[in-house]
Amino acid sequence: MDDVVFRVMLRMEITAGMETDFERVWREVGDSVTGHPANLGQWLSRSAEEDGIYYIVSDWVDETTFREFETSDRHLSHRTKLHPYRRGGSMTTMHVVAALTGAAGDRS
């Protein structure tokens, strides 16, 4: 099971009026995550139903490497830059067990 993708999903509650700045800073500091050799990608999504709610999803080659990153100075610096925009949030972790590509994702 070592080849299973480890996925992290953050739900972030952003202070009202700070959404645009949060999105800008997230893009500016994103390479501190995506530049890590074990990171497979990262996505930022804004809720279509709740104001000020964002989801950050990142995929990792395995849980062990993510946990090492999670406690690193690199991650602490990244979190520190995003923290001023946050009023709350939560983290969920999971192992991807299957993936299906939709018809639109199969275009060349």
Side-chain angles (χ1 to χ4, degrees):
M1 213 119 179
D2 291 338
D3 60 348
V4 173
V5 170
F6 185 71
R7 180 164 289 165
V8 178
M9 184 174 71
L10 302 172
R11 180 184 186 275
M12 297 189 73
E13 301 168 21
I14 303 304
T15 302
M18 299 185 85
E19 296 89 352
T20 300
D21 289 334
F22 167 72
E23 291 178 23
R24 177 184 49 77
V25 171
W26 183 86
R27 285 182 183 93
E28 289 173 359
V29 302
D31 64 341
S32 64
V33 175
T34 58
H36 190 284
N39 182 265
L40 298 168
Q42 180 176 226
W43 300 265
L44 176 66
S45 301
R46 181 178 51 241
S47 175
E49 299 159 353
E50 298 177 273
D51 291 339
I53 302 299
Y54 287 81
Y55 295 92
I56 299 171
V57 175
S58 62
D59 287 350
W60 297 81
V61 296
D62 59 42
E63 182 174 0
T64 301
T65 310
F66 166 74
R67 296 296 180 187
E68 290 169 3
F69 170 76
E70 183 182 32
T71 59
S72 70
D73 290 340
R74 179 183 197 155
H75 184 243
L76 178 60
S77 174
H78 178 263
R79 274 191 341 208
T80 300
K81 291 173 184 167
L82 294 176
H83 188 74
Y85 306 98
R86 225 179 120 158
R87 60 181 169 84
S90 61
M91 181 173 91
T92 302
T93 60
M94 60 204 85
H95 297 276
V96 176
V97 296
L100 302 172
T101 302
D106 205 19
R107 297 183 203 174
S108 296

